[in-house]
Structure formats: structure tokens, C-alpha cells
Amino acid sequence: MTSHQTTQTMKPATAAKKLGVYLEATPAEFQEGVVSRTELNALQADPPQWLQELRRNGPHPRPVVAAKLGISISGLARGGVTEPLTTEQIDALKQESPEWLQQERATQAEVRKEAARIKEKKAARDEQSR
């Protein structure tokens, strides 16, 4: 009995998410087709010019915008940022440093600190139980 290897494919939206780019800014042929796992790996290993340009200048999807600003995606929404931003717009926001951005960065710092504290506590508990 022979097994047939089927090619694993994904929707363009999934591939764009995995590549960290905004789907609507990708070329039409990318948006209209399906992307195989092999094609995705090739795009990640040797990104074409359009992908390099999108990653460098945007527009960036919300998870990338949030990461570049050092805040959560929810923090973006609370700050009123609902549209994808370019690298230039993100840099301008960092320069302006509005009140909401400072607040969200402080909140994110607290979240990270609490996560580290919980991790240390768990590690100490695991060490004691050995």
C-alpha cells in the first residue's frame, strides 16, 4: 500500500499572518491563491522584494504595530489605533509619545514583571518538590 503525500496549503490570510504582513498590502497574486507549506518556507527563507519592503516599511498588521510600540493589541484598541500603520507612522507615534501610549507601555511592563514573578515562584515550587 502506498501513501500519497498531500500538499499542505493555507489561505493567504493565514500565510500573511505567519509572515507578519498586512494581507491587503500584498500583491494580488498572493491574495488570490493558496500558499503551500513549501512556498511559505521559501518566502521565509528567501523573501522576495515585495515582502522585504512590507516588513521594512509597512503597512503593518496590529500584532506587529503593537510589538513595535511595546504594548498589547488591546492597548492599541484602547488608544484608538484600529488601522494598520506604516513604520513611519509608528516612529512618529513613538516620538509624540502620547499619554495613552505611555500608559499602555507602563501597563505592559507591569504585566511582564508579574509574569516573571509567577514564573520564578513556579520554578521555586518545582525545585522544592524535587
Side-chain angles (χ1 to χ4, degrees):
M1 189 167 146
T2 60
S3 66
H4 296 286
Q5 189 72 18
T6 57
T7 305
Q8 194 178 20
T9 60
M10 61 192 83
K11 294 178 183 176
T14 304
K17 187 182 242 182
K18 289 180 181 287
L19 292 169
V21 295
Y22 183 57
L23 178 63
E24 283 75 16
T26 61
E29 59 270 9
F30 180 85
Q31 293 180 38
E32 294 163 2
V34 293
V35 180
S36 71
R37 173 66 63 187
T38 307
E39 290 169 331
L40 179 70
N41 290 341
L43 286 170
Q44 289 173 323
D46 186 24
Q49 186 63 39
W50 65 264
L51 182 54
Q52 292 175 23
E53 190 67 27
L54 272 178
R55 286 179 169 168
R56 185 174 26 256
N57 299 319
H60 303 288
R62 287 180 306 157
V64 174
V65 173
K68 286 179 179 265
L69 290 173
I71 62 175
S72 67
I73 296 171
S74 299
L76 274 180
R78 285 190 293 270
V81 178
T82 57
E83 298 297 315
L85 299 180
T86 63
T87 301
E88 192 175 295
Q89 291 169 315
I90 293 168
D91 291 342
L93 252 179
K94 285 179 181 177
Q95 288 296 316
E96 289 173 24
S97 192
E99 180 73 29
W100 69 266
L101 181 56
Q102 293 174 29
Q103 180 84 31
E104 291 302 331
R105 283 183 165 170
T107 300
Q108 194 67 13
E110 286 298 316
V111 168
R112 286 189 194 109
K113 198 161 75 172
E114 180 65 9
R117 185 190 69 77
I118 291 169
K119 186 177 178 181
E120 285 175 17
K121 185 176 177 181
K122 183 183 181 317
R125 200 175 329 126
D126 290 349
E127 189 64 35
Q128 273 184 344
S129 65
R130 287 187 192 155

